[in-house]
Amino acid sequence: NGYHGLAIEMKSRKGKLEKVQKEYFSLLEEQGWKTAVCRSLEEFLDIVHEYLGPEEDPDRETLLKLLNA
């Protein structure tokens, strides 16, 4: 996928990144990381699927099981 890692910040629907979080995400992006802000489980799952790609992409049911473990 071309990235070194994935960093996700979960926020409420109206939640915003703090200045320090934006700075941290910028540093990660400069180092080749994918960053994302998710406001729902659905959005989180979409980002993980996109990041993993078709070769390593577990189905949603498997991801949910992993999250609940």
Side-chain angles (χ1 to χ4, degrees):
N1 64 18
Y3 293 104
H4 294 292
L6 172 63
I8 297 175
E9 177 68 28
M10 297 299 295
K11 293 287 187 186
S12 67
R13 292 188 206 277
K14 296 180 182 181
K16 296 183 181 182
L17 289 177
E18 300 287 330
K19 182 181 176 187
V20 68
Q21 291 173 311
K22 289 178 186 178
E23 291 168 353
Y24 186 66
F25 268 23
S26 290
L27 289 172
L28 288 174
E29 290 167 1
E30 289 172 13
Q31 297 299 315
W33 282 58
K34 176 175 180 60
T35 63
V37 177
C38 296
R39 291 177 171 77
S40 68
L41 177 59
E42 199 64 32
E43 200 173 358
F44 171 84
L45 292 173
D46 288 344
I47 292 294
V48 171
H49 279 276
E50 177 187 314
Y51 175 77
L52 292 175
E55 300 84 35
E56 300 180 46
D57 190 13
D59 59 59
R60 287 178 182 265
E61 186 174 312
T62 301
L63 274 177
L64 288 171
K65 285 179 185 175
L66 289 171
L67 289 170
N68 290 319

